[in-house]
Amino acid sequence: MELKRLQKDANWQERLENIGFGYHTDEQNKTYWVEDYYFSLTEKEADSIFEASNQLWEMCINAVEHVIQNNRLDEFKIPKFIQPYLIDSWENDTPSIYGRFDFAFDQHKQLKLLEFNADTPTSLFECGVVQWLWMENYFGDTKDQFNAVHDKLIDTWKMLKPYLKGDILHFTCVRESLEDLTNVEYLRDCAIQAGITTKLIYIDDIGWNNVNFVDLEEEPITDIFKLYPWEWMVNEMFAYNIKNDEIKANWIEPAWKMILSNKAILAVLWELYPNHPLLLESYFEQPHQLKDYVKKPLLSREGANIEVYKNDQLVEHSTGEYGEEGFIYQALAELHQEETGYSIIGSWIIGQESCGITIRESDQIITTDKSRFVPHIIE
């Protein structure tokens, strides 16, 4: 994995906005999208990410089964009232479409799992569309990319279509986020290309008629993709209606993803697969013998409330509102580092198979919502 530079187009912002990418630069005029350098990967490196992601997905599925069979949901601080619904969603194979592993990739080219964004991962549009068109703009068809995200999304929606309960698949997110709306509309567009009838509804417009959930036209909601975390939903009155819903709508991602999107899964994976080369030592409640480690809240998003320790001394931390549910302690990984910053690899699982990567870069060790998206090619 090697960083390379190129001369960026003068009109690159206009080019990106013409394809619907409206958040390439933030409100402080800092660019989120990196246009003028990229990572060059070898085919061997791409293959190793593909194989590692598929292997970890199988390990995660086994871990979910272990957590449910051994009644460990309390360790994940999942509220009691939703646990039977979560277990039903697992036993009934409620449809799931995607997730994103975040990997460290050290100087020895060893991948290490940092966490699994299993419920509401973003940067999907940037990965599936923007970086693909970036490659075509600068390299034509002379280069390749580890990126079958777009085709895999359409194929997976086609595969899931027979398992939907109704004729309309709703999509929802918060109304205040352009990034979330763009990602939802991208997923929705892929569902439409798969032959599914869809509707968009903002999360706060979803209604309840004392029998089932309804949209603004009072049509029942039978299947709904949500870009809204389960850990937020279960803390709202809204959630009590989910288990009372007579239609038993399919919520995608399903409730069992609450296990995989919780940092507690990292400690469980280490218990089940100790010393596995793809895993970092991880523990509940204390760092044990670790001297260089990261303290992560069980529930946190976009790098909030992370503490990094070296030789037992706090060297970096981020702020936020998480941590009430407890923490896990994970061995500090060696991140890929260039003069431009620290990088991690986000590896997409769609339809239960590895299919593409997102690379994020930060000025510090902790990856946050301000971290940059760096495109890649294989050569």
Side-chain angles (χ1 to χ4, degrees):
M1 187 162 134
E2 182 182 0
L3 188 142
K4 294 185 177 180
R5 296 185 181 274
L6 52 74
Q7 183 65 43
K8 65 182 175 184
D9 294 339
N11 64 338
W12 66 274
Q13 293 104 327
E14 181 182 357
R15 194 186 78 243
L16 297 181
E17 289 161 10
N18 285 341
I19 60 172
F21 186 32
Y23 48 96
H24 52 72
T25 305
D26 71 10
E27 58 277 9
Q28 277 82 45
N29 205 33
K30 292 184 177 178
T31 53
Y32 159 63
W33 174 261
V34 171
E35 181 76 7
D36 57 348
Y37 59 86
Y38 61 93
F39 280 107
S40 170
L41 275 67
T42 65
E43 286 192 17
K44 185 178 180 181
E45 288 170 335
D47 288 344
S48 72
I49 299 168
F50 175 83
E51 291 165 4
S53 303
N54 288 334
Q55 185 177 2
L56 272 171
W57 174 246
E58 289 296 324
M59 293 160 63
C60 284
I61 293 298
N62 293 338
V64 173
E65 181 69 20
H66 167 85
V67 169
I68 290 176
Q69 290 300 320
N70 291 276
N71 300 314
R72 298 187 65 176
L73 292 175
D74 287 346
E75 294 176 66
F76 288 66
K77 308 302 180 188
I78 294 172
K80 291 280 190 187
F81 82 93
I82 205 73
Q83 290 185 11
Y85 175 82
L86 181 156
I87 294 169
D88 285 346
S89 75
W90 173 250
E91 293 178 345
N92 294 330
D93 290 329
T94 304
S96 163
I97 189 161
Y98 74 159
R100 194 194 70 226
F101 292 111
D102 282 349
F103 287 119
F105 191 58
D106 65 24
Q107 61 176 333
H108 306 295
K109 300 185 183 298
Q110 175 60 53
L111 293 158
K112 293 286 187 183
L113 177 64
L114 298 170
E115 60 187 51
F116 188 21
N117 299 280
D119 185 17
T120 57
T122 54
S123 81
L124 188 63
F125 177 67
E126 297 92 300
C127 179
V129 175
V130 183
Q131 73 168 344
W132 183 265
L133 296 178
W134 169 91
M135 178 183 68
E136 290 190 337
N137 180 68
Y138 287 105
F139 300 101
D141 58 2
T142 64
K143 303 293 182 183
D144 200 1
Q145 205 169 68
F146 180 18
N147 190 359
V149 163
H150 187 76
D151 291 342
K152 195 69 178 174
L153 279 174
I154 295 171
D155 290 345
T156 304
W157 283 127
K158 286 179 180 175
M159 183 184 70
L160 294 181
K161 186 178 178 183
Y163 299 97
L164 301 181
K165 293 186 173 182
D167 297 327
I168 298 175
L169 172 58
H170 287 78
F171 286 78
T172 192
C173 64
V174 297
R175 67 178 71 233
E176 300 86 5
S177 171
L178 176 61
E179 179 182 1
D180 285 8
L181 179 60
T182 302
N183 276 267
V184 163
E185 285 289 47
Y186 176 49
L187 279 151
R188 185 180 169 213
D189 179 65
C190 291
I192 292 170
Q193 293 187 55
I196 298 173
T197 302
T198 70
K199 261 189 177 182
L200 177 68
I201 182 170
Y202 289 113
I203 193 84
D204 56 352
D205 281 336
I206 295 174
W208 174 253
N209 64 8
N210 294 318
V211 178
N212 51 261
F213 293 103
V214 293
D215 63 21
L216 290 172
E217 286 76 39
E218 295 296 325
E219 288 200 68
I221 293 175
T222 58
D223 309 271
I224 181 166
F225 173 88
K226 56 160 197 65
L227 194 64
Y228 194 75
W230 274 106
E231 69 260 26
W232 294 1
M233 285 175 60
V234 297
N235 285 312
E236 297 174 6
M237 292 300 294
F238 183 85
Y240 286 88
N241 294 330
I242 292 175
K243 59 186 181 66
N244 298 325
D245 178 9
E246 291 192 2
I247 290 179
K248 299 187 185 306
N250 282 322
W251 289 84
I252 307 170
E253 295 299 305
W256 60 264
K257 282 294 192 74
M258 274 190 273
I259 298 173
L260 292 179
S261 60
N262 188 305
K263 304 299 186 297
I265 197 63
L266 301 169
V268 171
L269 283 168
W270 187 252
E271 289 176 18
L272 297 178
Y273 303 97
N275 301 311
H276 193 287
L278 294 174
L279 300 178
L280 292 159
E281 282 188 73
S282 300
Y283 302 102
F284 288 102
E285 297 181 356
Q286 55 179 306
H288 291 254
Q289 73 280 3
L290 298 175
K291 298 297 182 185
D292 298 337
Y293 59 90
V294 181
K295 181 181 178 184
K296 295 181 173 181
L298 296 185
L299 304 175
S300 73
R301 303 176 60 76
E302 298 177 329
N305 298 99
I306 303 292
E307 295 180 357
V308 179
Y309 290 81
K310 291 185 178 179
N311 199 24
D312 270 334
Q313 300 298 310
L314 180 65
V315 296
E316 188 177 316
H317 73 282
S318 57
T319 59
E321 299 177 349
Y322 298 95
E324 183 180 347
E325 294 81 7
F327 300 85
I328 64 105
Y329 297 81
Q330 183 186 52
L332 179 63
E334 178 189 347
L335 302 184
H336 184 93
Q337 186 178 8
E338 301 278 354
E339 62 184 11
T340 53
Y342 297 94
S343 297
I344 66 168
I345 296 173
S347 179
W348 291 94
I349 291 282
I350 299 176
Q352 307 198 50
E353 187 177 52
S354 171
C355 63
I357 59 170
T358 287
I359 301 177
R360 299 288 299 277
E361 181 187 71
S362 309
D363 295 334
Q364 66 289 327
I365 295 172
I366 299 170
T367 303
T368 70
D369 59 339
K370 300 297 183 185
S371 299
R372 299 175 289 277
F373 190 111
V374 186
H376 79 278
I377 59 173
I378 297 172
E379 56 185 351

